[in-house]
Amino acid sequence: MPSDHPLDDTPARAGNQRAADAIVTAIEQDIVSGLLENGSPLPPERDLMGRFGISRTVVREAIATLTTRGLLESKPRHRPIVRRPGYDAAFSAVGGVVSHLLRQDGGVKTLYDVRIFLEASLVRHAALHARKEDIAALRTALEQNRAAIDDPVLFDNTDVAFHAIFYRILGNPVLPAVHRAFVTWLFEHWQSMNRSAEQNLIYYAGHKAIFDAIIDRDPDAAEQALLVHLGEAWETVRGTF
Amino acid sequence: MPSDHPLDDTPARAGNQRAADAIVTAIEQDIVSGLLENGSPLPPERDLMGRFGISRTVVREAIATLTTRGLLESKPRHRPIVRRPGYDAAFSAVGGVVSHLLRQDGGVKTLYDVRIFLEASLVRHAALHARKEDIAALRTALEQNRAAIDDPVLFDNTDVAFHAIFYRILGNPVLPAVHRAFVTWLFEHWQSMNRSAEQNLIYYAGHKAIFDAIIDRDPDAAEQALLVHLGEAWETVRGTF
DNA sequence: ATCCACGTTTGGTCAGACCAAATCTTTATG
DNA sequence: CATAAAGATTTGGTCTGACCAAACGTGGAT
């Protein structure tokens, strides 16, 4: 029964320019309307081509388009998965371009500088406006970070988790996505940094300095501590690429 | 003469998984290496399929991929144009997802809040670190903004130009691209705001207040002035969508 | 020199086919 | 009876060949 779909039996033939656009918007609608559930796989290509009365060529093109728009997440040999896009999707959609830009000249440093600037503003904001539950979260994360000094992998995770809190305090959903993007893109180029426990100790001290400045409600000290911390981190890894 | 290309006569057949990737990277190389000049059109599809020994299907898929990566800029019925991607390309690549996100719930406000936060940090930075040429640029832009109070279109342009300077002071190429993205995305939803001259006067006053605080080297005042200014702007347009 | 009709190039789409990886089914095994 | 191995089916990736309409280039008419 092909006629349970709102845009069924749409000819889209002979005369229409860009037939792909039609089915793109159709599937788009089905996704945002929830008719296609988030996380579920898209129907097979041959199915769709029957449903819309178009060739597989166009179906594939539409899938590609929707993938770049972040509404589908398609791995090479698998069915595309429906994704109601969040702010993360926006950043993952640019992955391709960014990886290019990072490969050029001082690309990584450029991005890292943006992170430094933004995160400095965030810790300043935290020092001024962090609520007690934010501070509690920071304290917990800091403690977990300290406990992981001897475990390289776990230390990295707790490190990221600590920084992530600053991006959450604002309450704006874009910023956590920005942070995840930073982590993804920068870690890509920081591979195998095999830091020692002493190195981790320095990092932890950096985290603690930031935290202390925040509970002191001293935005300048917090910002300064973060700049020092991220500066140290940069010096540590600058040679690895 | 098909053999002047480094990746010519690559079979890419029978056994190779994902033939498209090969030619994607090949064309990618040609673009970054300058063999394909920026701004020039890509060779015709049938040409490429001959060059690489692949079907047009794969050629088209590769073109689609490169387009999403920002290396090609393809309009519907025209030849794709080679683009050495800059940071702007990254943001224009997400246009699709973002327009989606902006349509949802408080999407525009969410993005606007990010802009407010970032720009507040930027004016603070400007108050602390702006060099004299930066201040000169601000002064010029402010003057042009004042002169355009009675011209709605020109006022908008000078308005944007004034704010743009703050994104440039850092010297990081990402931030101007961020600004252009903000302008593109937010203006898309601020259409036809037909402001009056009095309204423009208020805006100009906001700009001047920021500028004055910066030449006073007072970061807190500058930040506050910007928050007030952007807050006013928001109140003006909040009903228009 | 300018402009319009013409033929050619080229992107967009369709149809049918094949292969190999994924997935589902069935059967053999502990 | 659960589980793992073997087989059948689905499905994405690619190829070939074809057609149409828009874009482009060419040359003649004004």
Side-chain angles (χ1 to χ4, degrees):
Chain A
M1 53 182 77
S3 48
D4 59 333
H5 190 284
L7 285 190
D8 261 348
D9 51 73
T10 300
R13 278 185 152 76
N16 271 346
Q17 44 183 3
R18 261 163 297 154
D21 287 2
I23 112 168
V24 164
T25 56
I27 299 182
E28 206 169 326
Q29 292 261 334
D30 287 358
I31 293 180
V32 301
S33 78
L35 208 158
L36 290 173
E37 271 181 56
N38 190 351
S40 63
L42 199 69
E45 298 179 354
R46 286 164 176 87
D47 197 341
L48 292 174
M49 85 185 247
R51 251 216 264 273
F52 292 99
I54 56 180
S55 76
R56 203 143 81 90
T57 311
V58 182
V59 171
R60 305 196 96 253
E61 187 136 342
I63 289 177
T65 301
L66 289 168
T67 301
T68 75
R69 296 208 187 160
L71 293 177
L72 294 178
E73 182 183 328
S74 52
K75 290 179 294 185
R77 276 275 176 184
H78 295 268
R79 307 262 286 278
I81 298 179
V82 174
R83 285 274 174 250
R84 190 91 61 97
Y87 293 94
D88 286 281
F91 290 97
S92 70
V94 275
V97 207
V98 172
S99 63
H100 234 286
L101 296 171
L102 291 181
R103 250 190 299 276
Q104 294 174 354
D105 51 354
V108 178
K109 183 66 162 72
T110 298
L111 183 63
Y112 192 74
D113 282 342
V114 174
R115 183 201 161 175
I116 290 179
F117 180 77
L118 178 60
E119 205 158 324
S121 307
L122 288 172
V123 298
R124 165 174 285 276
H125 178 271
L128 291 172
H129 306 298
R131 297 153 305 177
K132 52 183 172 302
E133 56 261 41
D134 298 323
I135 302 215
L138 283 172
R139 190 189 309 277
T140 303
L142 184 65
E143 176 51 35
Q144 289 174 342
N145 183 235
R146 191 176 66 80
I149 284 179
D150 292 318
D151 184 333
V153 172
L154 192 58
F155 187 84
D156 276 358
N157 292 342
T158 57
D159 186 345
V160 169
F162 177 77
H163 286 267
I165 295 176
F166 295 114
Y167 292 79
R168 255 187 271 132
I169 293 181
L170 253 284
N172 189 306
V174 172
L175 291 171
V178 171
H179 180 242
R180 283 186 282 272
F182 279 153
V183 170
T184 303
W185 293 333
L186 292 176
F187 260 128
E188 224 169 70
H189 292 253
W190 271 356
Q191 50 211 1
S192 71
M193 61 183 87
N194 60 11
R195 293 195 310 265
S196 59
E198 306 96 70
Q199 196 65 54
N200 287 346
L201 202 57
I202 295 178
Y203 281 12
Y204 165 74
H207 296 158
K208 176 148 176 38
I210 298 168
F211 176 76
D212 288 342
I214 287 176
I215 58 178
D216 284 348
R217 296 299 182 179
D218 185 338
D220 291 316
E223 180 175 356
Q224 192 55 36
L226 180 105
L227 292 177
V228 170
H229 171 54
L230 289 184
E232 286 172 351
W234 175 256
E235 288 304 323
T236 304
V237 300
R238 70 179 309 176
T240 64
F241 57 91
Chain B
M1 56 180 74
S3 48
D4 59 333
H5 190 284
L7 283 190
D8 263 349
D9 53 70
T10 300
R13 277 186 155 74
N16 271 347
Q17 46 184 5
R18 260 163 298 151
D21 288 2
I23 110 167
V24 164
T25 57
I27 299 183
E28 207 169 325
Q29 293 260 334
D30 287 358
I31 292 180
V32 300
S33 77
L35 208 158
L36 289 174
E37 273 181 54
N38 190 352
S40 64
L42 199 69
E45 298 179 354
R46 285 167 177 85
D47 197 343
L48 291 174
M49 84 185 248
R51 251 214 265 274
F52 293 99
I54 57 180
S55 76
R56 201 144 81 88
T57 311
V58 182
V59 171
R60 305 197 95 251
E61 187 136 341
I63 289 177
T65 301
L66 289 169
T67 301
T68 75
R69 295 206 187 163
L71 294 177
L72 294 178
E73 182 183 327
S74 52
K75 290 179 295 183
R77 277 272 175 186
H78 295 268
R79 307 261 286 275
I81 297 179
V82 174
R83 285 273 176 250
R84 191 91 62 98
Y87 291 94
D88 285 281
F91 290 96
S92 70
V94 274
V97 207
V98 172
S99 63
H100 239 288
L101 296 171
L102 291 182
R103 248 190 300 276
Q104 295 174 352
D105 50 354
V108 178
K109 183 66 163 73
T110 298
L111 182 64
Y112 192 74
D113 282 343
V114 174
R115 184 202 159 175
I116 290 178
F117 180 76
L118 177 59
E119 205 159 322
S121 307
L122 288 172
V123 297
R124 164 175 285 277
H125 178 271
L128 290 172
H129 307 297
R131 298 153 305 177
K132 52 181 173 301
E133 55 262 41
D134 298 324
I135 302 225
L138 283 172
R139 191 188 308 276
T140 302
L142 185 64
E143 177 52 36
Q144 290 174 341
N145 184 234
R146 191 175 66 80
I149 285 181
D150 292 318
D151 184 332
V153 172
L154 192 59
F155 187 84
D156 276 357
N157 291 341
T158 56
D159 186 347
V160 169
F162 177 78
H163 286 268
I165 295 175
F166 295 113
Y167 292 79
R168 255 187 271 132
I169 293 180
L170 254 285
N172 189 305
V174 171
L175 290 172
V178 171
H179 179 242
R180 283 186 283 273
F182 279 154
V183 170
T184 302
W185 294 334
L186 291 177
F187 261 130
E188 222 170 72
H189 291 256
W190 271 358
Q191 49 212 1
S192 71
M193 62 184 84
N194 61 12
R195 293 193 311 264
S196 60
E198 306 96 70
Q199 197 65 53
N200 287 347
L201 200 59
I202 295 177
Y203 281 14
Y204 165 74
H207 296 160
K208 175 145 177 41
I210 299 168
F211 176 75
D212 288 341
I214 288 175
I215 58 180
D216 283 349
R217 298 296 183 183
D218 185 337
D220 292 316
E223 180 175 357
Q224 193 55 37
L226 180 106
L227 292 178
V228 170
H229 171 55
L230 289 185
E232 286 172 350
W234 176 256
E235 288 304 324
T236 304
V237 301
R238 70 179 311 176
T240 65
F241 56 88

